[in-house]
Amino acid sequence: MRYRVLGPVRMMSRTPSAAKPRSVLATLLVRHDTVVSTHTLIDELWGAEPPRTATTTLQVYVSQLRKALLAETGEAAAATGPAQPLLTRAPGYLMQTAPEELDLAVFESLRAEGRAAYGRREYEAASRALSRALGLWTGPALSGIPHGPSLETSAIRLNELRAEVLEQRISAELRLGRHHELVGELMALAHEHPLRETLRCHLMVALYRAGRQSDALQVYHQARRSLVDELGVEPGPVLSRLHERVLASDPSLAWHGEPEPRPVPGGGSDDRPANPPTGSPTRYGRDARPAVWLPPAVADFTGREDQLAFGERLLAGDPSGGNRVLVLSGRAGAGKTALAVRLAHHTADRFPGGRVLVRLRNTDGRAVEPRAVMATLLRRLGGPLATGTGAGTDSGTAPGTEPLPPSETELAELLHERTKGRAMLLVLDDAVSEAQVRPVLSAVPDSAVILTSRHRLGALESVRHLTLDVLPLREAEALLTACGGPRMRDAPEAAGEIARLCGRLPLALRVAAAGLAAHPHWTAAGLAQRLRNERTRLAALALGDLDVRGTLLTAYHDMGEEARRAFRILGPAALPDFAPWTATALLATDPAEAERLTEELVRAHLLEARRRPGRLAPVRYSFPALLRPLALEVLAEESPQEGPAAVERLCRAFLALARHADARMAPGRDRLAYEAGPPPGISPEEVVGNAPLQWFQEECAGLSEAVRQAHAAGWWRLCCSLASAAAGYYEAGALWDVWEATHDLALDAARRSGDVHAEAVILRSLGDLAWQRHQAALATERYRLARELFTRHGDEVAAGRCLSAEADALLALGQVARAGPAYARALSVSRPADDARGSAESLRGLALVAQCEGRHEEALARMEECESAARSGGDHRWTAYASRTASALRIALAAGGPAGESPVPLEVRPGVWLFHPSRAVGQAA
């Protein structure tokens, strides 16, 4: 072997002595015959802070390796000659190796050979190949060198592969009857790896077959103690079921002197029935013994009291009344199987004929065929092994038994015969579709059935449905405390935050609590901090074989390609929920097709639909907790080119709708134009209708997010236009913080793009914000800057409006004498240009000045002119404002008192009041 990485990293005779060249060698060997980028190697050697000479130093290391490689072969050729295995290939380096030169390549070949032989039940050949593979190891993988991120990941993977090969080799040798020889080795391995349940299973089987039943039981108790103390979890179903079989002295666990064709119990299978003792032939007739095939109930099951009561009432119903079938549906990780098993244990006394669970997916996540489900049920009801029953069944017929019939119809008849008249409960777990379970349900009309599925299975007849949602907050916190121990119990605020960040999803809660229990140096508050980042939250919710992301992905992969694409593309939709038009824009389709796809995702529990009576869109959609980060993740992985285009369509849709709503609210207001129209299928008239203010209220969060997304993507003009279109609503709704955040981004976008006109519009809006916040000096400065930019751009009308706004700031400062001429100058610009909105603003200002200075008739006349200008511009809000102000002036004049001395404050803009008119009058005088 020329190169070794399964242990200390070495070359045949000239391994570099320095650590970093050996790290380069190891990285190239682990990824042999693949180009490794320079960036990856630098990151491996120096991490996040490489020296400035990193590239040059790496080239030196590569040169040293090339010399050592050529020296080994005795070649005198130059480093670029044909004998050199270390080649330069953009964007890095390539290490070429022959298959027999690298121990890793030989190991992978022998591993594949052994696994294939094991699959063919050639256990002797499997044992030989796997033993040879293990013999290549000389220590922990990639040892003797410092590990960066790449080597650390590779070392973990390789060491896990070694453990997997070891477990499979032991499984093969157990099948060959070598349990006596394996006991000592397994004891040492169990001591070295106390949390690997498969090794404990192998040891228990070996001890039991060696006549040491009490020792086998002791192994289980040691394993349970380790798992509870270290992880805060109970043993898994495989180990627990094996414990029950050892306690019962299950004869099928014993060794019978020759290899059996079925898998060894406890050696990697979690649903193998105990065969009856060999002897006289066993027929599929009635069997008085109850068949109990259930995993143990979850010890720390929490909550779901109402659902348990509902299920118990249903299962306690009259059997003569027809099928008692309960469909438990809900999203992945909601605890459907745990609830079904709990129900099965709680109702044991009602089903003396037996309680049997069958999983309806194989280990690859694919649906098990109905005939295979029925064959498994028959075996678990006490019958022999079957042949020819398709995927998901065992092959081979045990001695002294009769084979199962091959056809689905005959299997159904036989299952009907076996269950007829018996009080039985069947749990059919993780159904994929109605078609999968309908033949099975037809065959067991006398049995009660609990079906679990991620789909509602609404096409099934004569069933009761129960949909599991996430846990209520109190129950979620209780589950965290039950699984997380004292550290979780003593930090109730952190537990509440963890429950929220996990979306109160039972699986995520269990993983989070187990993670805390597995790390004694962690705190609940520290765990909450780890979960706050939405983009890394799923990665944090993984521990051993408990992986929230993997579980959620199974639901995603269940869907067809069209629905999977819809799930991905909807990832950028606004939080907390979105209207149907959002789906239309993101999916680039028509409204009817968008609704079909979103409803398909709702049925699969990948989206939620909520009725919102009184809203413009009476139904709004949202992602269940943890699924939005998954959608964004698969979008980036599977169709990265579609993400930006979808976001751009959504931003354009927001812009078109916001401009339409703003135009309905305030015709003539300054807002930036945008050359591109809304995406196809988006009709502003239909979406906004006659309720522009309500549309803004419902979509405010999404509109603000669209501004941020446009800025992040570098769509400067779009960012500015979105912010500008929303400014009127932000002002009307006094949403000052959102106004400031979006417009700061827009101002940055305008300056980055060099768009003078956009910068002027945004500055004018920011001036309005400062004026609303009583920051008159800042408002004046922003209005002045905006006016200068408008003038430079040649937009005299907009510059005139800025003059009117500057006068508003002066009026707020009490400088009435200076405000009047500014309003007059603004009016001299707006009137010749037929700018109705600008004229209305200026006339209103002149009316306010006249009112403050005691010229009440003039104030009324100016306000009536303002009303006329606003009406001609179609601005209902300003028309109503001018009308009520003029009415107040008429009433004040009719009363004979000077309006300027009225204690009622001035309404200087629609809905905005000035509270010191008397002081203003005094200063003016």
Side-chain angles (χ1 to χ4, degrees):
M1 208 72 64
R2 186 177 182 185
Y3 311 110
R4 290 189 176 274
V5 294
L6 303 180
V9 177
R10 290 183 295 153
M11 293 197 310
M12 187 182 298
S13 60
R14 297 204 35 152
T15 305
S17 57
K20 288 197 184 305
R22 279 187 286 133
S23 294
V24 174
L25 175 65
T27 305
L28 293 169
L29 288 174
V30 167
R31 299 166 69 170
H32 61 98
D33 298 314
T34 302
V35 175
V36 181
S37 71
T38 300
H39 174 77
T40 298
L41 291 168
I42 291 174
D43 190 45
E44 183 65 33
L45 294 174
W46 292 286
E49 296 182 356
R52 287 181 295 176
T53 59
T55 302
T56 303
T57 306
L58 175 61
Q59 292 169 350
V60 171
Y61 294 156
V62 170
S63 177
Q64 292 173 357
L65 286 174
R66 283 173 168 163
K67 290 177 181 177
L69 288 166
L70 285 181
E72 268 199 354
T73 60
E75 295 286 341
T80 56
Q84 175 58 253
L86 178 49
L87 307 177
T88 300
R89 291 286 186 272
Y93 301 97
L94 170 69
M95 185 70 171
Q96 292 181 327
T97 64
E100 69 281 359
E101 290 183 323
L102 176 61
D103 59 355
L104 174 57
V106 177
F107 170 78
E108 290 173 334
S109 174
L110 289 170
R111 173 175 171 266
E113 179 184 334
R115 287 169 63 86
Y118 190 98
R120 296 192 301 268
R121 304 179 185 237
E122 297 172 3
Y123 302 120
E124 182 64 48
S127 174
R128 284 197 304 271
L130 297 173
S131 296
R132 288 175 59 203
L134 292 169
L136 295 167
W137 287 73
T138 58
L142 301 167
S143 54
I145 57 172
H147 289 178
S150 177
L151 288 179
E152 181 65 22
T153 301
S154 297
I156 293 171
R157 180 181 67 85
L158 293 175
N159 287 325
E160 183 61 28
L161 284 179
R162 181 188 191 184
E164 174 202 301
V165 168
L166 176 63
E167 290 172 352
Q168 191 164 36
R169 192 219 86 205
I170 291 171
S171 180
E173 294 188 356
L174 280 172
R175 296 174 183 277
L176 295 168
R178 299 172 184 170
H179 37 274
H180 287 287
E181 299 96 316
L182 288 170
V183 167
E185 179 185 4
L186 281 167
M187 282 185 169
L189 290 170
H191 178 75
E192 184 181 354
H193 306 285
L195 301 181
R196 291 193 77 93
E197 295 189 38
T198 302
L199 289 174
R200 300 278 191 171
C201 287
H202 287 329
L203 178 56
M204 289 175 67
V205 172
L207 288 168
Y208 182 82
R209 290 181 175 176
R212 299 166 61 179
Q213 182 181 21
S214 60
D215 289 338
L217 293 172
Q218 184 62 29
V219 168
Y220 171 80
H221 291 298
Q222 291 171 350
R224 182 181 180 277
R225 188 160 52 249
S226 296
L227 290 167
V228 171
D229 291 347
E230 294 292 327
L231 303 181
V233 298
E234 292 289 331
V238 180
L239 187 56
S240 299
R241 190 173 296 116
L242 181 59
H243 173 239
E244 294 171 0
R245 297 177 69 186
V246 172
L247 273 174
S249 300
D250 186 342
S252 67
L253 283 176
W255 175 251
H256 299 296
E258 60 181 1
E260 294 189 21
R262 65 183 180 90
V264 174
S269 173
D270 67 344
D271 64 351
R272 297 296 180 185
N275 278 349
T278 57
S280 59
T282 302
R283 298 188 59 84
Y284 284 98
R286 292 194 174 274
D287 192 336
R289 296 175 300 170
V292 179
W293 202 296
L294 290 173
V298 177
D300 48 17
F301 187 92
T302 303
R304 303 291 195 200
E305 297 300 330
D306 292 343
Q307 293 87 347
L308 279 169
F310 177 87
E312 289 178 11
R313 287 195 301 271
L314 174 68
L315 297 177
D318 182 5
S320 63
N323 276 15
R324 290 165 293 167
V325 181
L326 173 63
V327 178
L328 292 177
S329 60
R331 50 184 294 202
K336 302 179 292 296
T337 302
L339 179 62
V341 171
R342 190 80 167 182
L343 274 171
H345 282 287
H346 273 208
T347 57
D349 58 331
R350 299 185 181 277
F351 301 103
R355 291 160 294 135
V356 176
L357 180 145
V358 176
R359 305 193 190 280
L360 303 188
R361 294 177 190 259
N362 59 23
T363 54
D364 296 328
R366 292 193 296 270
V368 177
E369 294 181 2
R371 61 175 184 167
V373 176
M374 290 188 279
T376 302
L377 275 171
L378 284 166
R379 291 198 307 275
R380 295 185 178 180
L381 291 175
L385 299 176
T387 59
T389 56
T393 65
D394 299 311
S395 60
T397 304
T401 63
E402 292 186 355
L404 285 170
S407 75
E408 183 176 307
T409 301
E410 292 173 300
L411 282 168
E413 292 172 353
L414 190 54
L415 183 59
H416 178 75
E417 179 187 341
R418 289 298 317 279
T419 58
K420 185 176 181 181
R422 296 177 67 179
M424 299 193 66
L425 173 63
L426 307 179
V427 180
L428 305 181
D429 186 39
D430 208 3
V432 175
S433 66
E434 293 91 341
Q436 182 191 27
V437 297
R438 192 175 277 114
V440 183
L441 294 177
S442 300
V444 291
D446 292 348
S447 299
V449 179
I450 301 176
L451 269 170
T452 73
S453 178
R454 295 168 196 149
H455 307 274
R456 183 167 171 78
L457 304 183
L460 290 177
E461 306 83 5
S462 304
V463 302
R464 297 292 295 277
H465 292 275
L466 181 59
T467 301
L468 290 192
D469 203 345
V470 296
L471 292 172
L473 180 59
R474 187 180 299 274
E475 292 182 6
E477 293 174 346
L479 179 58
L480 281 173
T481 300
C483 299
R487 281 176 291 157
M488 192 71 78
R489 182 182 60 248
D490 295 341
E493 290 186 7
E497 183 180 6
I498 292 169
R500 180 182 61 79
L501 293 172
C502 290
R504 295 179 279 123
L505 184 70
L507 175 63
L509 295 168
R510 287 186 175 278
V511 174
L516 181 64
H519 297 85
H521 56 289
W522 283 13
T523 64
L527 175 60
Q529 184 176 2
R530 288 178 174 85
L531 296 174
R532 283 177 193 144
N533 188 333
E534 184 185 45
R535 293 192 175 275
T536 59
R537 190 175 303 155
L538 287 175
L541 289 172
L543 181 70
D545 63 347
L546 293 175
D547 181 7
V548 174
R549 179 183 183 275
T551 300
L552 298 179
L553 273 175
T554 58
Y556 168 72
H557 289 302
D558 273 352
M559 307 302 293
E561 172 52 36
E562 194 177 39
R564 290 201 302 273
R565 178 185 177 274
F567 175 77
R568 296 192 301 268
I569 299 300
L570 289 174
L575 295 174
D577 55 21
F578 58 91
W581 66 262
T582 299
T584 300
L586 284 169
L587 298 175
T589 186
D590 59 81
E593 178 66 6
E595 181 182 26
R596 183 187 71 80
L597 290 169
T598 50
E599 288 299 324
E600 184 176 352
L601 294 174
V602 169
R603 288 192 294 273
H605 298 282
L606 292 172
L607 274 184
E608 291 177 342
R610 303 286 188 193
R611 287 189 55 79
R612 293 289 188 266
R615 295 284 192 93
L616 291 176
V619 175
R620 293 181 73 88
Y621 300 97
S622 64
F623 280 97
L626 303 178
L627 281 174
R628 184 173 186 263
L630 181 70
L632 294 172
E633 187 177 310
V634 294
L635 175 62
E637 290 176 357
E638 299 181 20
S639 47
Q641 72 286 351
E642 289 193 273
V647 172
E648 194 265 346
R649 288 194 300 272
L650 179 60
C651 289
R652 283 197 289 119
F654 263 116
L655 177 59
L657 296 171
R659 286 176 58 82
H660 178 81
D662 189 51
R664 295 294 302 272
M665 284 177 55
R669 194 182 66 79
D670 288 334
R671 66 182 72 86
L672 288 168
Y674 190 72
E675 55 275 8
I682 301 296
S683 170
E685 292 77 10
E686 293 180 8
V687 173
V688 176
N690 294 318
L693 180 59
Q694 184 179 359
W695 182 87
F696 272 119
Q697 290 169 336
E698 294 178 6
E699 304 296 349
C700 179
L703 182 56
S704 304
E705 178 62 22
V707 175
R708 286 188 283 271
Q709 288 175 323
H711 184 273
W715 301 325
W716 309 129
R717 183 70 177 178
L718 185 53
C719 175
C720 296
S721 299
L722 281 164
S724 172
Y729 170 67
Y730 295 152
E731 180 174 14
L735 302 176
W736 294 348
D737 291 341
V738 181
W739 189 355
E740 181 176 36
T742 55
H743 279 58
D744 281 348
L745 291 175
L747 185 60
D748 177 70
R751 287 172 173 169
R752 287 184 182 225
S753 62
D755 190 331
V756 173
H757 183 249
E759 183 179 357
V761 170
I762 299 301
L763 274 171
R764 160 67 199 267
S765 182
L766 285 171
D768 290 340
L769 172 61
W771 183 82
Q772 291 275 9
R773 286 176 158 173
H774 307 293
Q775 299 168 335
L778 177 61
T780 301
E781 177 63 17
R782 286 174 170 173
Y783 289 142
R784 184 187 61 78
L785 289 173
R787 178 164 53 84
E788 290 175 356
L789 291 171
F790 278 129
T791 301
R792 191 197 315 172
H793 186 68
D795 190 344
E796 294 299 330
V797 170
R801 291 188 183 185
C802 286
L803 264 176
S804 183
E806 287 183 66
D808 284 348
L810 293 172
L811 191 65
L813 290 169
Q815 299 178 22
V816 180
R818 291 181 61 196
Y823 285 127
R825 286 173 57 202
L827 183 62
S828 69
V829 173
S830 59
R831 266 187 169 163
D834 291 328
D835 176 19
R837 174 62 180 265
S839 296
E841 290 180 354
S842 303
L843 289 164
R844 172 261 335 178
L846 290 170
L848 293 173
V849 170
Q851 186 177 358
C852 289
E853 293 178 342
R855 293 178 278 111
H856 313 303
E857 291 82 359
E858 180 184 345
L860 175 60
R862 290 294 193 182
M863 195 57 72
E864 288 174 342
E865 287 183 82
C866 170
E867 180 181 355
S868 176
R871 183 174 286 108
S872 68
D875 193 326
H876 302 293
R877 184 164 173 254
W878 271 74
T879 300
Y881 155 71
S883 176
R884 65 175 173 267
T885 304
S887 296
L889 287 168
R890 292 190 194 98
I891 293 171
L893 286 170
E901 296 177 2
S902 170
V904 179
L906 295 178
E907 187 179 4
V908 292
R909 290 184 188 176
V912 182
W913 302 83
L914 183 64
F915 283 89
H916 48 79
S918 297
R919 185 180 59 176
V921 171
Q923 290 176 347

